[in-house]
Amino acid sequence: MTASHSPTMTADALPLADLETYFADELGERVTDTEVLDGALNTMVAVSTESTEHAYVVRRASEMRDSDLFVGLDREYRVLSALADTDVPAPEPVAYCEDASVLGDPFAVTTYREGEPVPVGSPLPERFQTPANRRAVGEALVDTLADVHSVPTEPFEGVCERYEPLEQVERFADRLDRATDASGRDVPELRRAADWLREHAPPEHETRLTHGDFKSGNVCFGPGTPPEITGVLDWETATLAEPRTELGYLLFYWRDDGDPTPGLDAIRDRYGDDYPEAVAEVAEAAEHGFYRYANRPGSPSRRELVERYEAQTDLSFDHERFYRTHAALGLATVWEDIHARRVAAGEDSDWEPLLDYTAAVTRSIVDGEFAL
């Protein structure tokens, strides 16, 4: 289940004349067309020039980004600058404009990355819907994640915040308290998971660059086959942290044959009449994963993804229950917060089936029932 958003800036509302002047004066480029790409955390506008269609992307932060979950746009731009000489296919930084008179707020200009993301809950493009290409999609995702976790950390010191795993657990717990106080939900499974994490933290941990929200909706798959990741987008949650928690995050979205479906019958009974579409989405996620292409012919298993990751990094996925629980709790907390914000705003929210299922999966990982 993913939230949908309407763009906060339309092409008509964009001060095109001022943007054209900026590109001409600062980059020596004549703007010929603009296209709004997104309007959630950032308003993103593709900019075409006389020489190149979709040559650049302009990013301007939206009000939704005003949260301690995200770094400022200026810091994200510095992350992209530090990534420029690495093997990670991130957009290349071009310019950062602090002059709010151009677009109303500071904005960043980067290169455009060809390709298309696959949002969580969406099917793969038709060209990838073969066993061989499903496997290649999974392998491309974990290979790119390994590349992110293999870059030197020195360029990101002072740019990205540094967090130890248990520091993140306390941040999760605090955010969960705020969210459930606002929504009135009771989530004992998640509080138990936080306690379990406090008691079972590995004695040592690694610190690497982490994207913070690495998923198929935040990468671009290039045109044609075989699947190739041409861009890793949206670095507003980048941190220096334990990389194996981010591998756990990728694995949370995955499903294998024989996986349990904790709480699904109770969710159907409780919410089936009020939120039938949301319940159907949860049931689909329980069968095929939040990635709808997982647990289908050709798709690699979680253990195969782990083995491939281990082979490309110097990291072993020991203490896997800790890292998977850590990732599940972090994601559950974010989703609880989204629901709470909707409730506080007086909006209808159909997120509770998803929230109950995520809490049940988290409990199942803690108990060892949802095995790697």
Side-chain angles (χ1 to χ4, degrees):
M1 180 186 300
T2 56
S4 61
H5 303 278
S6 299
T8 58
M9 183 197 310
T10 65
D12 291 338
L14 182 69
L16 181 58
D18 292 340
L19 190 64
E20 287 178 347
T21 299
Y22 175 84
F23 267 78
D25 291 347
E26 301 297 328
L27 303 180
E29 295 274 21
R30 180 175 179 272
V31 174
T32 58
D33 194 20
T34 60
E35 177 187 353
V36 176
L37 302 176
D38 185 76
L41 289 177
N42 306 283
T43 297
M44 297 195 295
V45 182
V47 175
S48 298
T49 66
E50 283 186 314
S51 61
T52 308
E53 182 180 6
H54 289 174
Y56 303 102
V57 171
V58 171
R59 287 169 66 90
R60 190 188 74 167
S62 74
E63 292 181 1
M64 288 186 62
R65 188 160 168 171
D66 186 17
S67 165
D68 59 3
L69 280 175
F70 312 109
V71 301
L73 185 62
D74 57 340
R75 185 173 290 193
E76 183 183 5
Y77 187 82
R78 292 167 62 195
V79 171
L80 294 178
S81 297
L83 285 166
D85 294 327
T86 72
D87 292 333
V88 178
E92 297 175 15
V94 176
Y96 184 78
C97 178
E98 296 181 345
D99 184 356
S101 68
V102 181
L103 294 182
D105 281 303
F107 63 90
V109 182
T110 69
T111 56
Y112 182 92
R113 285 285 179 172
E114 292 289 344
E116 59 182 310
V118 181
V120 175
S122 299
L124 287 174
E126 186 173 351
R127 67 184 184 277
F128 294 160
Q129 293 183 21
T130 67
N133 283 329
R134 287 192 198 99
R135 173 164 291 276
V137 165
E139 292 176 348
L141 281 169
V142 79
D143 289 354
T144 304
L145 183 62
D147 286 343
V148 172
H149 294 167
S150 298
V151 303
T153 60
E154 288 80 3
F156 302 92
E157 297 284 355
V159 178
C160 297
E161 297 289 345
R162 178 184 285 266
Y163 293 110
E164 296 185 3
L166 288 182
E167 286 183 276
Q168 292 175 308
V169 171
E170 297 310 320
R171 286 167 60 86
F172 298 157
D174 289 345
R175 192 174 190 87
L176 183 64
D177 285 343
R178 294 195 300 271
T180 54
D181 285 348
S183 68
R185 280 178 51 80
D186 184 25
V187 285
E189 303 96 333
L190 300 183
R191 301 191 193 286
R192 178 170 167 248
D195 289 339
W196 186 89
L197 288 166
R198 293 181 181 110
E199 295 170 2
H200 292 83
E204 298 179 352
H205 65 270
E206 291 284 332
T207 301
R208 305 284 181 93
L209 175 68
T210 61
H211 177 276
D213 192 19
F214 187 88
K215 57 189 178 185
S216 63
N218 281 337
V219 303
C220 288
F221 289 93
T225 54
E228 177 188 7
I229 291 178
T230 56
V232 181
L233 312 176
D234 296 342
W235 290 85
E236 60 271 305
T237 51
T239 58
L240 292 173
E242 169 56 72
R244 285 164 289 200
T245 63
E246 189 157 60
L247 176 59
Y249 182 79
L250 178 66
L251 298 175
F252 180 86
Y253 287 99
W254 220 265
R255 289 296 176 272
D256 292 344
D257 286 339
D259 279 347
T261 57
L264 192 56
D265 289 340
I267 289 168
R268 287 193 177 104
D269 292 341
R270 184 174 184 182
Y271 301 110
D273 292 338
D274 294 332
Y275 303 117
E277 292 184 4
V279 170
E281 287 191 30
V282 168
E284 181 75 4
E287 180 178 0
H288 292 295
F290 291 95
Y291 293 146
R292 297 298 191 257
Y293 44 87
N295 196 23
R296 294 184 186 273
S299 183
S301 68
R302 286 190 298 274
R303 190 163 293 279
E304 287 175 317
L305 293 175
V306 168
E307 291 173 353
R308 193 173 180 95
Y309 177 90
E310 290 178 326
Q312 295 179 61
T313 66
D314 57 355
L315 299 170
S316 176
F317 201 51
D318 298 332
H319 307 285
E320 54 88 8
R321 277 173 63 198
F322 177 86
Y323 298 124
R324 292 169 61 220
T325 300
H326 191 285
L329 177 63
L331 185 58
T333 299
V334 170
W335 285 349
E336 291 282 353
D337 187 59
I338 292 172
H339 170 71
R341 288 172 184 269
R342 292 190 173 191
V343 171
E347 301 174 2
D348 184 39
S349 174
D350 63 352
W351 280 65
E352 287 196 279
L354 173 66
L355 302 181
D356 284 5
Y357 178 67
T358 305
V361 171
T362 303
R363 183 200 65 233
S364 185
I365 297 172
V366 169
D367 291 342
E369 298 169 356
F370 209 120
L372 178 62

